[in-house]
Amino acid sequence: MDLSIVVPIYNEEDNIPILHERVTEALGDTNLEYELILVDDGSSDNSYSGLKRLAAKDDRVRVIRLRRNFGQTAAMAAGFDSASGRVVIPMDGDLQNDPLDIPLLLARIDEGYDVVSGWRKDRKDTFVNRKLPSMLANGMISRMTGVHLHDYGCTLKAYRRDVLDDVNLYGEMHRFVPALAHQVGARVTEMPVRHHERLHGKSKYGISRTMKVILDLMTVKFLLSYSTKPIQLFGRWGIYTLAAGCLSGAATVYMKFFEGMSMNRNPLLILTAFLLFMGVQFIVLGLLAELSARTYYEAQGKPIYNIKDKLNFG
């Protein structure tokens, strides 16, 4: 299979037949062997009935129905796990992504890239509650992950199959896949893609998702930098905190003997005790995290490295 297109569907009954038509038209002249994987993420409308009708008339359509609404990341993961194409392209089911961009993404993959991320350069969304939070989030994500993309939130991307095999998705992590793939050595690039206004249905996204993105970004930063060496994060802060506690304690003693200030009336004594306690806590937390990391990798036989090629190993 050349290509797997994965589309999470949540209450998009009016968009489903149009989506199928546009994908068919976009790929009709390419001679690509492809599958269209439509994942019903617990829709409460008639989306599943529309998906069944499509599957009955087109054997390239694969339908996955989740038992309830698990969220876009989970729906995308279900599609990725079932995909058999050498390249996997996720896209939204609201018709705002354009299937005509799929051949262009594949062309960039053929240039040697492992991940091609779409950039909605001319985005058809409101500025205050969609564009502005997205701009701030993209800047923050790029800065913290070291993978500089204009539009992490664009669902339309292209991945080589073997890159996705090394990435596990949780929470709202689908938008961070390029950064996670870069961690294991994938070549990542970006290209402008078309973006259309929504024709039917209502958007499921809003400014309230910003907090989820920030929390997941903290998780991704930890996974990228410290997943195999957590003591270097917690231990560093533990040493800083212990040093600050020692300085505070020294200041308390100095004020006692040279300025005649009573220690039990000096607030620095409380600060000293607090900092020393927190320093020990940070170091203990780092040691516990080290034990957890070893359990995670050793119990699963999971390596801490990623091999791209092997030669003459039989």
Side-chain angles (χ1 to χ4, degrees):
M1 187 75 66
D2 297 311
L3 172 65
S4 296
I5 303 168
V6 176
V7 187
I9 299 292
Y10 181 63
N11 293 344
E12 302 286 2
E13 59 177 312
D14 294 326
N15 293 324
I16 290 170
I18 305 174
L19 172 68
H20 175 258
E21 180 181 345
R22 290 184 179 179
V23 170
T24 303
E25 291 176 355
L27 300 178
D29 298 327
T30 60
N31 296 321
L32 290 170
E33 184 181 0
Y34 74 91
E35 60 183 357
L36 177 60
I37 301 176
L38 303 172
V39 184
D40 181 11
D41 186 23
S43 297
S44 57
D45 61 0
N46 294 318
S47 293
Y48 184 62
S49 298
L51 295 176
K52 287 198 297 183
R53 287 193 294 270
L54 280 183
K57 70 177 184 180
D58 187 347
D59 59 6
R60 292 172 300 191
V61 173
R62 315 325 193 197
V63 176
I64 299 173
R65 188 183 191 185
L66 304 185
R67 291 187 178 274
R68 63 171 178 84
N69 178 241
F70 287 91
Q72 187 179 17
T73 298
M76 205 173 289
F80 289 168
D81 290 342
S82 301
S84 57
R86 68 176 182 87
V87 177
V88 180
I89 294 183
M91 61 184 298
D92 285 328
D94 56 10
L95 305 179
Q96 291 193 274
N97 295 144
D98 197 324
L100 290 174
D101 287 315
I102 293 176
L104 303 179
L105 292 169
L106 292 175
R108 298 303 300 274
I109 288 287
D110 290 338
E111 291 176 10
Y113 292 101
D114 300 300
V115 178
V116 182
S117 181
W119 172 20
R120 297 166 293 183
K121 195 171 184 179
D122 184 22
R123 187 173 177 179
K124 307 297 183 182
D125 283 321
T126 57
F127 181 78
V128 175
N129 65 339
R130 297 296 298 276
K131 289 185 181 179
L132 180 59
S134 180
M135 291 168 57
L136 296 174
N138 288 320
M140 188 186 308
I141 296 170
S142 295
R143 190 178 189 84
M144 293 189 68
T145 63
V147 182
H148 297 279
L149 300 177
H150 290 89
D151 193 0
Y152 271 90
C154 180
T155 303
L156 186 61
K157 295 179 173 69
Y159 304 103
R160 290 188 188 272
R161 170 75 261 178
D162 57 343
V163 169
L164 290 176
D165 290 339
D166 297 313
V167 175
N168 295 319
L169 298 181
Y170 304 95
E172 298 280 331
M173 295 260 181
H174 65 276
R175 70 185 73 248
F176 300 111
V177 172
L180 295 171
H182 183 265
Q183 180 191 25
V184 296
R187 292 187 64 200
V188 180
T189 190
E190 184 178 45
M191 61 168 283
V193 295
R194 302 171 181 88
H195 192 247
H196 303 293
E197 294 183 1
R198 174 181 273 273
L199 296 178
H200 305 287
K202 297 180 180 180
S203 174
K204 287 79 178 177
Y205 311 111
I207 199 169
S208 61
R209 293 170 64 93
T210 304
M211 185 60 67
K212 296 180 181 179
V213 173
I214 292 174
L215 294 173
D216 280 331
L217 177 58
M218 294 169 62
T219 303
V220 168
K221 178 61 178 176
F222 179 79
L223 292 175
L224 292 177
S225 302
Y226 302 106
S227 61
T228 59
K229 47 188 178 183
I231 189 63
Q232 294 189 20
L233 173 64
F234 297 108
R236 179 189 307 160
W237 283 104
I239 292 173
Y240 291 160
T241 308
L242 286 174
C246 291
L247 289 175
S248 178
T252 304
V253 173
Y254 175 85
M255 297 167 96
K256 164 68 175 177
F257 289 104
F258 294 96
E259 296 184 2
M261 181 179 290
S262 174
M263 293 183 69
N264 62 354
R265 294 179 180 273
N266 193 337
L268 285 181
L269 182 62
I270 299 176
L271 179 62
T272 299
F274 175 77
L275 290 174
L276 293 176
F277 175 76
M278 288 301 299
V280 173
Q281 289 286 87
F282 273 126
I283 293 174
V284 171
L285 184 60
L287 293 173
L288 292 176
E290 284 284 333
L291 291 175
S292 297
R294 281 155 175 72
T295 302
Y296 172 74
Y297 285 102
E298 294 175 10
Q300 300 180 79
K302 189 179 180 70
I304 60 173
Y305 54 84
N306 180 269
I307 296 174
K308 184 174 183 179
D309 291 307
K310 295 178 77 173
L311 300 176
N312 294 337
F313 275 86

